[in-house]
Amino acid sequence: MDNYLLFLTMSLLLVILPGPDTTLVIQSAVISGKKNGLLTVFGSVSGVLVHTTAAVLGLSAIIVKSALLFSILKYIGAIYLIYLGVMSFIAIKKGNNHNEAVQPKKAQKSFFLQDFTTNASNPKVAVFFLTFLPHFITSKEQALFQFLIMGLSYALITILWLILLVFLVSTISGWLKKPAVQNMIHGCTGAVLMIFGIRLALEKQP
């Protein structure tokens, strides 16, 4: 029980640290409204659940040990992050101000897919699960069960934090939706995503 409480505390601290998913959630909530912000949240958590399942089934270990698979997944994730960053800068130039009420269904689905793709294609998440979670395993006989519980707990912490973030952002949405502020958000988001993409591309296999 003590180990699990420590795991929850460490997970909360890790989730709060800004990352690509946090950046995308804030951008979606500010630019396109609460609904699309929540779609981005569910996409992020779905990506985490993919890695949870893979870790439980042992697939993550194969990815981490295989230089080829690790590199393929790494570059897919890096290219996608850089692509999202570039699109954020293009949005400034076009002056796109999305309206939640008129957002087409296809566009709404993309909010889910972009963060799902970002997390699911990030091998660093697989490395995290395989290097962080084992420290809290208390019984080898129940390792898979404990792995699953911790993975689901991490996903729950992630979704609660990101949903809270969406609602916090929504409370000051009036100010955040000013054109100058939106351009600043697009610019900062684009820069952050491109930096994360470059860092991921340069990540070495553990």
Side-chain angles (χ1 to χ4, degrees):
M1 185 66 178
D2 290 339
N3 268 21
Y4 184 64
L5 291 176
L6 178 59
F7 163 77
L8 292 178
T9 302
M10 294 297 295
S11 295
L12 178 61
L13 294 175
L14 289 170
V15 167
I16 290 175
L17 286 175
D21 49 354
T22 304
T23 303
L24 288 172
V25 166
I26 292 175
Q27 183 192 38
S28 298
V30 172
I31 306 301
S32 304
K34 185 188 298 182
K35 180 179 178 180
N36 291 320
L38 292 175
L39 284 173
T40 308
V41 170
F42 294 129
S44 175
V45 175
S46 296
V48 171
L49 291 176
V50 167
H51 284 286
T52 299
T53 304
V56 171
L57 297 176
L59 297 180
S60 293
I62 297 175
I63 293 173
V64 171
K65 290 180 180 179
S66 170
L68 177 61
L69 287 176
F70 183 89
S71 296
I72 290 174
L73 201 55
K74 176 182 70 173
Y75 288 121
I76 289 174
I79 290 170
Y80 189 68
L81 284 174
I82 293 172
Y83 163 77
L84 291 176
V86 171
M87 293 305 294
S88 289
F89 283 114
I90 291 176
I92 297 176
K93 186 176 180 180
K94 289 184 177 181
N96 290 335
N97 289 318
H98 301 286
N99 188 306
E100 182 182 9
V102 297
Q103 201 68 271
K105 289 185 178 180
K106 185 176 180 180
Q108 290 183 356
K109 289 181 181 178
S110 71
F111 287 95
F112 174 90
L113 290 175
Q114 68 177 4
D115 224 20
F116 171 79
T117 305
T118 298
N119 265 349
S121 64
N122 189 349
K124 291 180 70 175
V125 180
V127 173
F128 163 77
F129 272 84
L130 289 175
T131 57
F132 180 67
L133 300 190
H135 292 289
F136 301 93
I137 297 294
T138 57
S139 172
K140 291 183 179 180
E141 290 75 18
Q142 297 181 335
L144 289 181
F145 176 73
Q146 292 180 49
F147 225 151
L148 178 61
I149 293 299
M150 286 190 289
L152 293 176
S153 298
Y154 184 85
L156 180 60
I157 291 172
T158 300
I159 194 171
L160 290 176
W161 167 249
L162 293 180
I163 287 176
L164 175 62
L165 204 57
V166 168
F167 280 91
L168 287 175
V169 168
S170 298
T171 58
I172 53 173
S173 60
W175 176 76
L176 291 173
K177 286 185 177 180
K178 292 181 179 179
V181 177
Q182 287 198 13
N183 285 339
M184 180 183 70
I185 291 172
H186 274 305
C188 291
T189 300
V192 170
L193 290 174
M194 292 180 73
I195 289 171
F196 276 119
I198 293 171
R199 286 181 59 185
L200 180 58
L202 298 176
E203 186 77 14
K204 294 182 179 180
Q205 185 182 14

